[in-house]
Amino acid sequence: MPKILIVGGGYAGFYTAWKLEKHLRRGEAEVVMVDPLPYMTYLPFLPEVAAGSIEPRHAVVSHRRHLKRTKLVTAKVTKIDHANKTATITPEGGEPWEYQYDQIVVTAGSVSRTFPIPGIADNAIGMKSIEEAVAVRDTLIGNFEKAAALSKDNPLRKRLLTTVVVGGGFAGIETFAELRSLANSLLEKFPEITFDETHFHLIEAMGRIMPEVSLETSEWVLKDLAKRGAHVHLDTQVTSAVDGRVEVSTGEAYETDLIIWTAGVMANPIVVNGGDLPKEARGRISAQADLRVVDADGNVVEGAWTAGDVAAVPDLTGGGVGGMCVPNAQHAVRQAKRLAKNLVAVIRGEAPVDYVHKNLGAVAGLGLYNGAFQSGKIALKGFVAWVAHRGYHGLAMPSWERKWRVIWGWVHNFFLGRDTVQLGTTQTPRVFFETYASRPKPKVEEQPAPAAAEPAAVAAK
């Protein structure tokens, strides 16, 4: 059987494997998917996870539960030698080993793209994983709990009640708005804290936010955020974040314990730079419209495929930035579905079909009962857009099992309110046990016996 290796189990990788199971006949090919995580994360739900509106486990999809015929390897692909069709697989705590394949699908996704700004690497957190979203939620709620116990003239109180988000794209605005919404709901439970004491700042280097929507819609979002006490600073750059002191190009500074970085993504550098597959100027693997990898001259690299954020795929509708599909979930899912069909077609000696998908629009959640939607010239705002946001993403969540968990959680929250219990101590689970655990007493070293008196000294006495 031909061996198909899928590198990465995010959107594109998971959907490719899922659809290959549907299209391949039994025994037609062996499919192996390698990813260091045992689940796919539904990234559009991360802001709602951070705001306590979605249970974290409901925003991820288990590989082993939903991929029945795919061999799953929880490890990293650290090297791709496509010239010899060999990949080096490195499990955590184990020795690297090599896997020989016939077809490779690189869907390693993206990571946060940062800049060498002092303090960012040490003090900021991203919004690209479920773990980061949970940590943000726990930190914000935990900061409220700490601040409530401090006097109002304590400088630490202001620091704890200040949140800074860097980046005004969809991820940044949704995170910013959801956290402001969470903070507003927390005020009802913390009478010791007033609304004026909470400070939310979003730093955006460009002159506008949310470039995916019209200027009119983005300006409405700015006004809506301002009404809720959230401050957006346009044409502003972060110059330093040392020790949690965020300094910006306008000369202002904000002391904070929570800095969230959402200012862009880049293709997974470990996979892209750890192999011999061709890449383009922005560091993504080069592909043609049928999702096969191509070299600098446009020649197909036989046996190599790519999709999702790690891939530079031509946007045949003409709507992409620089002629390429933008790195979002909408393209990743649809590319994966087309890739799976094309890969099966090639195995069977048939011709692949180009990927063509016109962007359906953009929808954003801006906190409970508030959102923004843009499709062409059609724009919705407020409650109707929020319903559209939840409806779209609720249906887009893969598998009915996951859909039901998410939607049922929303129903629960409607009647019971969002869950605002923070479990930050799960980051250090053994501290409580270690604090009270009995330890062996240190051994008492035996003192040497006193030396016998010298005969001469005794005689002298």
Side-chain angles (χ1 to χ4, degrees):
M1 289 191 297
K3 296 180 179 180
I4 302 172
L5 174 63
I6 301 175
V7 181
Y11 279 115
F14 174 82
Y15 268 93
T16 298
W18 207 22
K19 295 306 176 181
L20 282 174
E21 290 189 352
K22 176 182 178 181
H23 299 309
L24 286 170
R25 306 184 190 101
R26 286 195 175 274
E28 191 173 11
E30 176 186 86
V31 181
V32 176
M33 188 173 80
V34 182
D35 192 280
L37 297 175
Y39 51 78
M40 181 210 96
T41 303
Y42 191 76
L43 297 179
F45 280 158
L46 293 186
E48 287 200 61
V49 170
S53 297
I54 292 180
E55 163 62 31
R57 284 187 176 87
H58 297 171
V60 300
V61 182
S62 169
H63 291 158
R64 295 189 180 274
R65 177 162 187 164
H66 296 283
L67 298 176
K68 308 295 186 183
R69 292 160 49 196
T70 302
K71 181 180 178 182
L72 301 169
V73 181
T74 306
K76 294 181 179 179
V77 172
T78 52
K79 182 180 179 182
I80 298 173
D81 180 8
H82 191 68
N84 296 303
K85 292 194 173 180
T86 301
T88 302
I89 298 174
T90 306
E92 184 177 356
E95 293 297 321
W97 51 281
E98 293 188 344
Y99 180 79
Q100 199 84 25
Y101 60 82
D102 297 292
Q103 304 278 344
I104 189 169
V105 179
V106 182
T107 52
S110 60
V111 299
S112 296
R113 182 190 61 172
T114 57
F115 306 103
I117 299 170
I120 287 295
D122 300 319
N123 298 291
I125 187 170
M127 190 58 70
K128 284 287 290 177
S129 70
I130 197 71
E131 293 82 4
E132 289 174 321
V134 172
V136 167
R137 180 199 66 185
D138 289 346
T139 300
L140 181 64
I141 300 172
N143 284 353
F144 265 68
E145 293 167 347
K146 294 173 186 175
L150 299 174
S151 62
K152 291 201 174 185
D153 59 351
N154 190 319
L156 178 58
R157 182 179 172 112
K158 182 176 181 180
R159 178 187 176 103
L160 291 169
L161 296 176
T162 299
T163 298
V164 174
V165 176
V166 184
F170 254 69
I173 290 296
E174 285 192 290
T175 299
F176 188 59
E178 289 285 356
L179 292 180
R180 176 72 262 189
S181 175
L182 170 60
N184 288 348
S185 69
L186 288 175
L187 291 172
E188 301 172 6
K189 301 174 179 63
F190 290 89
E192 307 91 340
I193 300 173
T194 64
F195 176 85
D196 292 338
E197 288 185 280
T198 60
H199 306 282
F200 282 75
H201 299 277
L202 183 138
I203 314 300
E204 169 54 44
M206 305 297 290
R208 61 164 296 180
I209 60 170
M210 303 170 73
E212 300 90 342
V213 302
S214 68
L215 183 59
E216 180 186 357
T217 301
S218 71
E219 289 176 346
W220 177 87
V221 173
L222 286 174
K223 292 177 183 176
D224 182 71
L225 289 170
K227 290 178 184 176
R228 290 189 276 162
H231 306 284
V232 178
H233 308 270
L234 301 178
D235 294 314
T236 306
Q237 290 117 18
V238 174
T239 58
S240 175
V242 175
D243 296 328
R245 178 182 169 84
V246 178
E247 299 177 2
V248 297
S249 56
T250 58
E252 296 176 297
Y254 315 102
E255 295 271 354
T256 178
D257 271 2
L258 185 54
I259 306 168
I260 305 163
W261 183 274
T262 63
V265 298
M266 64 179 181
N268 189 318
I270 295 176
V271 173
V272 173
N273 298 329
D276 56 357
L277 293 176
K279 55 186 178 182
E280 43 88 78
R282 295 186 62 184
R284 297 174 295 178
I285 295 175
S286 301
Q288 62 183 23
D290 63 7
L291 304 168
R292 288 186 289 182
V293 175
V294 293
D295 61 21
D297 297 322
N299 300 313
V300 172
V301 178
E302 293 296 336
W305 306 75
T306 188
D309 290 2
V310 79
V313 179
D315 188 343
L316 299 184
T317 67
V321 178
M324 298 294 174
C325 295
V326 295
N328 62 21
Q330 194 176 131
H331 279 304
V333 170
R334 286 167 174 79
Q335 286 173 7
K337 293 177 180 179
R338 170 48 55 195
L339 192 157
K341 290 181 179 179
N342 283 352
L343 183 48
V344 173
V346 168
I347 289 175
R348 294 174 182 171
E350 301 168 3
V353 177
D354 286 346
Y355 168 75
V356 182
H357 172 69
K358 187 174 183 179
N359 199 315
L360 299 176
V363 60
L366 303 175
L368 282 180
Y369 315 123
N370 197 15
F373 170 83
Q374 184 86 46
S375 181
K377 294 183 178 180
I378 301 174
L380 302 175
K381 309 176 187 73
F383 179 76
V384 175
W386 177 80
V387 172
H389 168 264
R390 285 207 162 177
Y392 172 78
H393 287 300
L395 293 175
M397 187 73 177
S399 86
W400 282 104
E401 177 256 339
R402 290 286 108 174
K403 286 180 174 66
W404 179 251
R405 289 183 188 275
V406 170
I407 295 171
W408 191 240
W410 283 336
V411 173
H412 277 178
N413 286 354
F414 180 78
F415 292 103
L416 303 176
R418 73 175 98 206
D419 195 337
T420 55
V421 175
Q422 65 92 4
L423 298 173
T425 51
T426 56
Q427 306 299 319
T428 53
R430 295 191 66 253
V431 168
F432 186 79
F433 178 81
E434 287 183 282
T435 301
Y436 301 100
S438 298
R439 290 175 170 81
K441 293 182 179 180
K443 292 182 179 180
V444 179
E445 294 184 7
E446 295 183 2
Q447 298 295 326
E454 294 290 337
V458 173
K461 288 181 180 180

